[in-house]
Amino acid sequence: EKLKKDVLYQFRVTTFEENEKLCEMAGELLIRSGAPSIIRHVLEELSTNAMLRAPRNVHGKPKFHFQVRASDTLIPIENIRLEEEDSFDVFFGIAEESGVVCVRDFHGSLDREEILYRLERHVTSDPSTGLPVGVSDTHGRGLFISREHVDHLIFNIDPGKCTEVIAILSVEGGLRNRALSIYQIDPS
């Protein structure tokens, strides 16, 4: 069965297990409907980021502590337990000859500077090794992978309220444009 064109399907993810099943099902449907197979990987990366990086505790600090711009703590994904307020939405579909994946969390904890910092670490070479300086980072890689494989990666950020990441990938394939758009509401 294929997806109806120009329809976005929406699911609320509340557990790690739901996320796994949704990525598998949505990825398969998108591929059967003409999207390149990499779209499943992009969906997995974006939804995992929402599960790992967006949740906050009652004090407004990240629930799963990680140090920004230093050695990051890696949390085994099977240890992730989402609280009710940490659920997030996943949208997917085929629109105008493109596969579309969108992940929306309700924390707004990602910001423009962090996105640009993480992406830049994967395109900047370490002169002593010739490898990207971010090659051993435990996070940021998913954003970079997604950015490299989609035609347009869009971030809509309302700080402290919502982060929405939209990935658009042409079903035609060919040369990727790799556009990046970051829209962030000024908190003042």
Side-chain angles (χ1 to χ4, degrees), residues 1-54:
E1 189 169 322
K2 290 185 177 183
L3 297 172
K4 291 181 183 178
K5 285 195 175 206
D6 300 324
V7 174
L8 281 180
Y9 299 85
Q10 177 182 0
F11 289 87
R12 172 77 36 109
V13 176
T14 60
T15 67
F16 166 71
E17 293 79 12
E18 283 179 358
N19 187 57
E20 271 192 330
K21 289 177 185 174
L22 176 62
C23 288
E24 184 177 319
M25 183 225 21
E28 181 61 34
L29 285 169
L30 285 161
I31 293 165
R32 271 194 257 153
S33 300
S37 61
I38 192 68
I39 201 161
R40 178 176 175 177
H41 188 69
V42 170
L43 174 59
E44 289 170 350
E45 292 292 347
L46 297 179
S47 65
T48 299
N49 279 349
M51 204 172 359
L52 288 173
R53 304 293 170 197

Side-chain angles (χ1 to χ4, degrees), residues 85-134:
E85 67 272 10
D86 295 329
S87 62
F88 58 94
D89 290 340
V90 174
F91 303 81
F92 63 93
I94 301 289
E96 297 185 17
E97 305 306 319
S98 292
V100 178
V101 169
C102 173
V103 177
R104 181 186 300 152
D105 72 63
F106 302 99
H107 296 287
S109 57
L110 189 58
D111 66 37
R112 177 180 318 141
E113 289 74 24
E114 180 68 10
I115 295 166
L116 294 174
Y117 173 79
R118 292 294 170 183
L119 291 175
E120 183 178 6
R121 288 183 59 78
H122 289 281
V123 296
T124 304
S125 293
D126 179 340
S128 63
T129 65
L131 297 171
V133 294

Side-chain angles (χ1 to χ4, degrees), residues 5 30-31 33-39 42 93-101 146 148-153 167-179:
K5 285 195 175 206
L30 285 161
I31 293 165
S33 300
S37 61
I38 192 68
I39 201 161
V42 170
I94 301 289
E96 297 185 17
E97 305 306 319
S98 292
V100 178
V101 169
S146 297
E148 286 297 299
H149 290 288
V150 301
D151 293 306
H152 200 162
L153 190 60
I168 302 170
L169 182 60
S170 172
V171 298
E172 300 297 318
L175 184 62
R176 299 272 171 244
N177 294 321
R178 291 192 275 237

